[in-house]
Amino acid sequence: MRDARPAPARDWLGAHMSIAGGLYRALERGREVGCSVVQIFLKNQLQWAARPYTAEDIAQFKAARQRTGIRTVFAHSSYLINLAAADPREWQRAVEAFHDELERAEMLELPFVVIHPGSHRGEGLAAGMARIARALDTVLARTRGYRVMVLLENTAGGGATIGRSFEELAGLRRADARGLRVNHESVWATRRPATHPRLPLE
């Protein structure tokens, strides 16, 4: 039976939706609450391993985009990923996991994958930022030519997290494939202004 509900308004308002039961279910849930934009996780964000997408997974997701009218869908990376990790094995695992997420996003034809830069865990900001930059260089080299873009998201600044200021984010945004997403709740938590005269936004 054809869904009689009107297509979502193009107001660019949306929410993160669960993929429980299938990727396509996130779009159906978004439609039910009137979203015109939906953010998803690309897999269980609390586990490193995940089965590959099947052709059916991808077909169902694309069909749901057509059926629900929700065209703008993007992903948030797993919170397990720490691109600033000092331990070489942990850093490599983070790189491989993020590369996998970009591959999944490209399969689904998503425009962005959002990621928090990471935490240096007491090893120092400069060293942590250098590891993040190297990780991003690595995954972007592997995915050169892909449509999906990496968005670095600011944080509220707790502990040794990186990305608590616009200056830190700007220091990581050196390639065309990296953009910024501003989390206004985190900006409010840090009591920083929502704009900064020295941040290169172009």
Side-chain angles (χ1 to χ4, degrees):
M1 181 177 178
R2 185 181 178 85
D3 191 337
R5 289 173 295 179
R10 296 299 179 200
D11 53 15
W12 304 109
L13 295 177
H16 187 103
M17 290 293 159
S18 169
I19 61 170
L23 292 163
Y24 71 96
R25 289 287 292 123
L27 300 180
E28 294 178 345
R29 292 181 177 107
R31 175 69 184 275
E32 289 169 2
V33 297
C35 291
S36 63
V37 180
V38 165
Q39 176 181 275
I40 63 172
F41 288 125
L42 293 160
K43 59 183 182 62
N44 186 328
Q45 63 97 10
L46 297 177
Q47 297 180 7
W48 288 102
R51 68 171 179 81
Y53 291 159
T54 65
E56 183 180 9
D57 291 332
I58 297 170
Q60 287 180 329
F61 183 81
K62 292 181 178 180
R65 291 182 80 164
Q66 293 293 326
R67 186 171 65 254
T68 62
I70 298 175
R71 300 288 184 267
T72 305
V73 188
F74 59 93
H76 196 295
S77 67
S78 167
Y79 290 110
L80 296 175
I81 297 173
N82 180 15
L83 299 180
D87 181 88
R89 289 174 298 181
E90 185 181 350
W91 182 86
Q92 190 63 47
R93 181 166 65 170
V95 168
E96 298 303 328
F98 191 47
H99 177 201
D100 177 67
E101 298 214 353
L102 292 179
E103 294 286 350
R104 290 171 183 268
E106 184 74 4
M107 292 178 192
L108 299 178
E109 300 180 1
L110 305 188
F112 315 120
V113 176
V114 178
I115 187 169
H116 294 287
S119 171
H120 60 75
R121 296 180 180 171
E123 296 291 324
L125 176 62
M129 289 185 67
R131 288 190 290 270
I132 294 168
R134 184 159 56 94
L136 291 171
D137 287 342
T138 299
V139 296
L140 291 175
R142 293 180 183 180
T143 56
R144 184 170 286 114
Y146 283 22
R147 289 165 294 187
V148 65
M149 182 178 182
V150 175
L151 294 188
L152 302 174
E153 183 173 10
N154 60 308
T155 68
T161 57
I162 298 172
R164 67 183 71 192
S165 72
F166 294 137
E167 291 88 349
E168 290 178 8
L169 290 174
L172 296 170
R173 186 175 175 265
R174 299 197 312 267
D176 290 341
R178 302 173 204 173
L180 305 177
R181 183 175 91 160
V182 177
N183 182 320
H184 290 280
E185 290 185 17
S186 295
V187 171
W188 178 257
T190 61
R191 299 298 191 270
R192 295 179 63 87
T195 59
H196 194 284
R198 290 178 292 173
L199 178 65
L201 291 175
E202 67 277 358

